[in-house]
Amino acid sequence: MKVVLSTRAIADLADIARFIARDNSVRSTSFVLELRDTAQRLADMPHGFPLVPRYERHGIRRRSWKGYGILYSILPDRIFVHRIIGPGQDYDRALGLN
């Protein structure tokens, strides 16, 4: 199954890269590549991660990786990554669904 990142998720990765680059520009690039690869690997076991409480009716799941959350939905033809949020970021604000 194909994994598709939303425009917002791509922007999230750019924001994460900029944030990390303030302290370590080299690690910034490798970290974002690893995070993106983790999102792509959702195709291996899309149902392997829990539904987000209060977002069950939207089918939104969360895959954690090094404190970051990959928020995604399983659609008939693809896995759609809505957002990639940092530690402590608010789901309601990030998703804007409730």
Side-chain angles (χ1 to χ4, degrees), residues 59-70:
I60 296 178
R61 295 175 177 271
R62 181 177 194 270
R63 161 66 161 107
S64 295
W65 186 78
K66 295 191 177 185
Y68 287 81
I70 302 168

Side-chain angles (χ1 to χ4, degrees), residues 17-34:
R18 279 191 292 278
F19 178 77
I20 295 171
R22 288 189 267 176
D23 292 326
N24 187 338
S25 61
V26 173
R27 181 61 180 138
S28 161
T29 301
S30 63
F31 187 88
V32 168
L33 288 173
E34 291 168 18

Side-chain angles (χ1 to χ4, degrees), residues 19-85:
F19 178 77
I20 295 171
R22 288 189 267 176
D23 292 326
N24 187 338
S25 61
V26 173
R27 181 61 180 138
S28 161
T29 301
S30 63
F31 187 88
V32 168
L33 288 173
E34 291 168 18
L35 186 52
R36 187 179 196 113
D37 181 60
T38 299
Q40 292 297 322
R41 284 185 284 128
L42 289 170
D44 297 337
M45 27 184 303
H47 294 279
F49 302 97
L51 290 165
V52 175
R54 296 190 354 255
Y55 291 95
E56 294 96 340
R57 74 176 188 272
H58 298 288
I60 296 178
R61 295 175 177 271
R62 181 177 194 270
R63 161 66 161 107
S64 295
W65 186 78
K66 295 191 177 185
Y68 287 81
I70 302 168
L71 305 175
Y72 70 98
S73 296
I74 304 167
L75 303 175
D77 62 337
R78 67 189 180 282
I79 297 167
F80 184 76
V81 177
H82 298 274
R83 297 292 307 266
I84 300 175
I85 61 173

